[in-house]
């Protein structure tokens, strides 16, 4: 074997000087036009893996090639499209439209007031209700939102991570109870990942980070006891990447956050194998197809090793990263918006080739408005065409063994390890303390902001080509019918909320909210208390205010923002 390697080395050197560089010289090019530390060609010389230890087989540690033995030969990824606008009624119709067109999972995204814990009748919510998500003020809205949706058979994802996340989760559980469903039968997830917002968007954070982590651990504990099929957290890298982070930062900060949650749960006294199998991840699918595939493969290997070697997880399911991937909105353009169809297709390919368990394809008009029925159906069709017509699902990890992809996978793992080490050192050996320190010192925000600045500088200088934006530009009128949200829907939402407040038992509402406050001040689990409050018709805003009043309003230190 050693002789083979030496022979390959000699032949590669010969090829480089006598063929490759000779051809470039003939074209007047003095050096290869390579980006960063990329090589013009990858060979066995660049891959030093031990196959069984570093790559292995699907469904086996370290899961580099996939978390399940059969991967897409057994089950395709869940095809889901984010939906949320107008009121619960409009969004419910969008859910049904997508299911009729072959969607296999439902994803609700909430409007900004809801995720910030502001009821629709709050003066600060005016003009924002139902514009970029669905407003959910109460269990009544949740009833309408999922009316006619078979939530006992369809995987439901609730996209909420801000302070209102536990109240929204409580409203969902209360709605399911009213339907007569056993909550241990419910399959789905709530995003519930607060740390990503402290990392990349601290202005949006409302309660101190340690209290946010406490709520997340409450959800782990509740689901471990009562909802074994429910994912209590989707540890989200997407928010970080969409804020301008590099691929390495996206994965590093996401895993650092995940480790912080694990350490917080261990401090609570939970067994790592009681919640480890329920942790899920939410990554971005960017435009560099091979780097993205390598990112997913490196993520699986890293997490498996971290959980097994650092946290002593013994259940193989605790060592597996199961992830949702969403196309990068950072890469879409308002100019020549139909180009975004091609971008979404490439991002979907990257997610599928990387072994995602669930994929959301960005509609081409997302940079302009709430997606129309036509654009969201095209997005869903993109996922279906990639799944059924390209052949990439006919074998597992089809890019595994590529010298380039294996090299990128190794390189990604190494660079992420270095960043994780740095963050852990900030916490004197504790990742939980390191993440908190990174948030409070503004470390994460500075690093992500710098990466975003560098990216945009490359775009503005033309060093980075974005077709239709800084190259191949055309004068155009956009012949696209965009969806607009009727402003009257906000009035309807506010009026319905006022009606609910007029007709409810105020004494019962007050009593249940007081219990939530007492719970927030103690050490008990908040989720059952919130379910009781929402069933008494307390609102999402009122429940959120109850915990904010106890935890206090988070104020980033001066100079952090």
């Amino acid at each position: 074997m050693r002789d083979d390697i030496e022979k390959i080395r000699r032949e590669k050197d010969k090829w480089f000087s006598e063929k490759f560089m000779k051809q470039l010289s003939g074209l007047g090019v003095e050096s290869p036009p390579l980006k960063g530390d990329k090589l013009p060609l990858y060979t066995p010389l660049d891959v030093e893996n031990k196959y069984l230890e570093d790559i292995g087989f699907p469904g086996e540690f370290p899961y580099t090639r996939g978390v399940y033995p059969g991967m897409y030969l057994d089950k395709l990824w869940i095809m889901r499209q984010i939906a949320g606008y107008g009121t619960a009624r409009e969004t419910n119709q969008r859910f049904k439209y997508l299911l009729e067109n072959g969607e296999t999972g439902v994803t609700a995204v909430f409007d900004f007031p809801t995720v910030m814990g502001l009821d629709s009748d709050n003066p600060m919510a005016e003009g924002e209700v139902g514009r970029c998500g669905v407003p959910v003020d109460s269990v009544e809205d949740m009833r309408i939102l999922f009316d006619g949706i078979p939530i006992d058979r369809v995987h439901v994802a609730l996209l909420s991570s801000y302070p209102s996340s536990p109240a929204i989760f409580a409203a969902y559980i209360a709605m399911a109870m009213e339907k007569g469903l056993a909550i241990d039968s419910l399959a789905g997830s709530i995003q519930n990942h607060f740390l990503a917002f402290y990392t990349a968007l601290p202005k949006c954070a409302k309660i101190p980070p340690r209290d946010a982590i406490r709520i997340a651990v409450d959800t782990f504990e509740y689901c471990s006891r009562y909802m074994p099929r429910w994912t209590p957290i989707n540890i989200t890298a997407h928010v970080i990447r969409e804020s301008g982070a590099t691929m390495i930062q996206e994965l590093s900060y996401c895993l650092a956050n995940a480790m912080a949650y694990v350490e917080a749960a261990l401090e609570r006294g939970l067994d790592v194998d009681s919640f480890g199998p329920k942790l899920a991840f939410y990554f971005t699918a960017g435009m560099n197809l091979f780097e993205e595939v390598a990112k997913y493969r490196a993520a699986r290997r890293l997490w498996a090793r971290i959980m097994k070697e650092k946290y002593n997880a013994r259940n193989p399911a605790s060592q597996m990263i199961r992830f949702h991937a969403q196309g990068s909105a950072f890469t879409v353009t308002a100019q020549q918006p139909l180009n975004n169809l091609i971008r979404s297709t490439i991002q979907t390919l990257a997610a599928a080739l990387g072994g995602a368990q669930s994929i959301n394809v960005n509609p081409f008009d997302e940079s302009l408005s709430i997606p129309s029925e036509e654009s969201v159906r095209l997005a869903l069709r993109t996922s279906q065409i990639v799944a059924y017509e390209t052949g990439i699902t006919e074998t597992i990890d089809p890019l595994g063994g590529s010298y380039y992809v294996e090299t990128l996978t190794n390189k990604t793992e190494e660079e992420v390890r270095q960043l994780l080490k740095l963050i852990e050192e900030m916490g004197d050996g504790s990742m939980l303390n390191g993440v908190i320190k990174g948030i409070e010192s503004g470390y994460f925000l500075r690093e992500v902001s710098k990466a975003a600045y560098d990216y945009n500088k490359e775009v503005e200088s033309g060093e980075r080509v974005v077709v239709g934006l800084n190259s191949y530009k055309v004068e155009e009128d956009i012949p696209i019918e965009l969806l607009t949200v009727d402003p009257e829907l906000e009035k309807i939402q506010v009026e319905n909320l006022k009606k609910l407040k007029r007709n409810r038992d105020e004494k019962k509402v007050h009593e249940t909210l007081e219990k939530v406050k007492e719970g927030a001040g103690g050490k008990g689990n908040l989720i059952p208390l919130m379910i009781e409050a929402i069933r008494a018709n307390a609102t999402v805003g009122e429940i959120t205010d109850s915990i904010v009043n106890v935890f206090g309003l988070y104020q980033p230190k001066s100079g952090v923002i």
Side-chain angles (χ1 to χ4, degrees), residues 64-76:
T64 308
R65 307 201 69 176
V67 290
Y68 300 121
M71 291 300 288
Y72 301 144
L73 296 175
D74 285 343
K75 182 184 178 184
L76 287 173

Side-chain angles (χ1 to χ4, degrees), residues 403-471:
Y403 304 126
Y404 183 40
V405 171
E406 296 297 354
T407 303
L408 285 176
T409 303
N410 294 344
K411 182 170 177 288
T412 301
E413 180 178 7
E414 178 54 33
E415 291 182 14
V416 171
R417 278 194 181 280
Q418 289 175 14
L419 268 184
L420 290 176
K421 183 170 181 285
L422 186 151
I423 298 165
E424 199 167 47
E425 286 174 352
M426 287 197 290
D428 296 324
S430 160
M431 189 58 86
L432 175 57
N433 291 338
V435 167
I436 299 291
K437 191 165 183 179
I439 291 168
E440 292 179 343
S441 67
Y443 162 77
F444 293 116
L445 187 62
R446 279 195 303 275
E447 295 299 309
V448 172
S449 299
K450 181 177 183 307
Y453 174 75
D454 290 345
Y455 176 92
N456 282 294
K457 202 164 63 170
E458 288 178 12
V459 172
E460 287 178 10
S461 69
E463 180 183 350
R464 180 185 293 269
V465 173
V466 180
V467 174
L469 179 64
N470 64 4
S471 301

Side-chain angles (χ1 to χ4, degrees), residues 174-457:
M175 176 273 298
M177 288 174 166
E178 287 180 0
K179 285 176 176 281
L181 298 173
I183 63 171
D184 62 1
S185 70
L186 299 176
S189 65
I190 182 151
Q191 196 172 39
N192 204 30
H193 174 33
F194 296 83
L195 288 177
F197 295 90
Y198 293 94
T199 303
L201 300 169
K203 276 187 176 178
C204 296
K206 202 165 182 178
I207 58 178
R210 285 194 185 274
D211 296 312
I213 292 172
R214 176 253 172 109
I215 292 175
V217 176
D218 280 358
T219 316
F220 293 2
E221 190 175 49
Y222 184 85
C223 290
S224 295
R225 289 180 183 173
Y226 306 112
M227 299 178 70
R229 300 183 65 208
W230 191 268
T231 300
I233 193 168
N234 240 314
I235 302 162
T236 307
H238 192 65
V239 173
I240 300 169
R241 184 75 177 273
E242 294 295 80
S243 299
T246 65
M247 179 271 282
I248 295 295
Q249 289 172 331
E250 173 199 0
L251 183 54
S252 303
Y253 299 165
C254 175
L255 294 185
N257 288 338
M259 293 167 70
Y261 288 123
V262 169
E263 291 181 10
L266 294 175
E267 281 184 5
R268 174 79 65 93
L270 301 184
D271 181 340
V272 67
D273 287 322
S274 72
F275 64 87
K278 303 307 298 177
L279 303 181
F281 293 75
Y282 186 157
F283 294 124
T284 293
M287 284 302 294
N288 191 318
L289 188 144
F290 295 107
E291 286 188 357
E292 293 299 312
V293 172
K295 174 183 74 180
Y296 304 130
R297 300 173 87 248
R300 280 192 292 267
R301 189 158 74 201
L302 267 163
W303 188 244
R305 288 173 168 165
I306 289 169
M307 288 296 276
K308 183 176 182 179
E309 296 164 6
K310 185 175 179 64
Y311 299 119
N312 299 314
R314 292 292 171 260
N315 183 348
S318 300
Q319 302 163 5
M320 298 176 187
I321 270 192
R322 290 162 290 266
F323 69 93
H324 170 75
Q326 180 176 347
S328 170
F330 198 74
T331 63
V332 300
T333 63
Q335 295 79 10
Q336 301 180 46
L338 289 175
N339 292 347
N340 297 328
L341 279 168
I342 294 103
R343 295 188 176 101
S344 291
T345 304
I346 292 166
Q347 292 164 358
T348 305
L349 269 172
L353 288 167
Q357 277 63 59
S358 167
I359 298 175
N360 179 94
V361 181
N362 287 341
F364 69 85
D365 57 354
E366 191 178 78
S367 57
L368 300 168
S369 69
I370 296 287
S372 66
E373 282 196 350
E374 180 189 22
S375 72
V376 81
R377 188 179 63 198
L378 269 172
L380 180 58
R381 293 288 181 261
T382 302
S383 200
Q384 292 162 339
I385 289 169
V386 168
Y388 295 109
E389 299 186 22
T390 63
I392 67 165
T393 60
E394 293 171 3
T395 191
I396 301 168
D397 187 29
L399 293 181
S402 153
Y403 304 126
Y404 183 40
V405 171
E406 296 297 354
T407 303
L408 285 176
T409 303
N410 294 344
K411 182 170 177 288
T412 301
E413 180 178 7
E414 178 54 33
E415 291 182 14
V416 171
R417 278 194 181 280
Q418 289 175 14
L419 268 184
L420 290 176
K421 183 170 181 285
L422 186 151
I423 298 165
E424 199 167 47
E425 286 174 352
M426 287 197 290
D428 296 324
S430 160
M431 189 58 86
L432 175 57
N433 291 338
V435 167
I436 299 291
K437 191 165 183 179
I439 291 168
E440 292 179 343
S441 67
Y443 162 77
F444 293 116
L445 187 62
R446 279 195 303 275
E447 295 299 309
V448 172
S449 299
K450 181 177 183 307
Y453 174 75
D454 290 345
Y455 176 92
N456 282 294
K457 202 164 63 170

